[in-house]
Amino acid sequence: PLGVVGTDASRVLAFARGEDLVAVVTRRPSLGPIESTTDLELPAGTWRVLLGANDAGELEGRVPVADVLDGWSAGLLERVR
């Protein structure tokens, strides 16, 4: 499991799947988008979104969940470095 902190942290589950993949899902998506004050703590490295936000660019460290999901209820990230 990965750390999620902020307003909607209880609505987000995030897991590292091996060394190079992160899965993020929301609980109760019917409540609307995740607040921008909710952050995901990524493992070391540089990550890009495979499923979710199309233009998130390269991500590192602590990032807003809203930037990863962009309104989606689930997302996948892959390590690029």
Side-chain angles (χ1 to χ4, degrees):
L2 298 177
V4 179
V5 296
T7 308
D8 283 335
S10 65
R11 291 185 50 215
V12 178
L13 301 173
F15 294 90
R17 305 301 298 161
E19 296 290 320
D20 298 321
L21 189 67
V22 166
V24 182
V25 297
T26 60
R27 296 177 60 226
R28 302 187 343 216
S30 62
L31 294 177
I34 299 298
E35 292 289 327
S36 61
T37 56
T38 305
D39 293 337
L40 167 65
E41 296 173 354
L42 290 170
T46 303
W47 298 82
R48 73 176 170 136
V49 177
L50 294 175
L51 172 68
N54 291 326
D55 59 354
E58 293 186 343
L59 305 170
E60 295 180 352
R62 191 169 168 173
V63 298
V65 173
D67 289 355
V68 172
L69 298 181
D70 193 28
W72 290 59
S73 60
L76 287 173
L77 297 95
E78 75 172 338
R79 186 189 315 265
V80 292
R81 288 191 285 278

